Amino acid sequence: MEQLSHPPKPIAALCFWLVVHGFAIIALLTVFIGIVPVFDRMFMEFGLKLPVLCGLLFNSSRFLTRYGLVLIPTGVLLDGGMLCLLFLGVGMPHWLRSLWCYGVLIVVGGLFLLTFVGILLPYLGLIQGLS
């Protein structure tokens, strides 16, 4: 008996990637707007000399907090528009679709890793300095 293979429906795949990217973006924004400023204030209160990575992280968080009303909808529209174009556009190569879908997740994961390291290093230095 021959098994029929049906190509994935583009609307279902589009909805899946919209939800996945949405959750990733919401998680990243929660970290940058909710968690990073708490550590920024704490490190400023203790007057720590921060590495360059921390300065970039805290300045990015301040920039996103200040200009988020413009940047966040622009980024969401850009990502949603690219996903719609890649899934609903005729003749779009599969490799380009995969590159965008997984690339956004890799970038978000990399930002999570940099944020974790950027907060952990001065935090460990603060703990060692207090003990």
Side-chain angles (χ1 to χ4, degrees), residues 126-131:
L126 178 64
I127 289 174
Q128 287 177 352
L130 292 176
S131 43

Side-chain angles (χ1 to χ4, degrees), residues 10 83-93 97:
L83 285 172
C84 287
L85 177 69
L86 291 171
F87 279 95
L88 303 177
V90 177
M92 288 293 169
R97 186 180 322 152

Side-chain angles (χ1 to χ4, degrees), residues 96-114:
L96 187 59
R97 186 180 322 152
S98 296
L99 180 67
W100 183 264
C101 291
Y102 294 113
V104 168
L105 296 180
I106 290 170
V107 168
V108 168
L111 287 172
F112 271 118
L113 181 64
L114 286 174

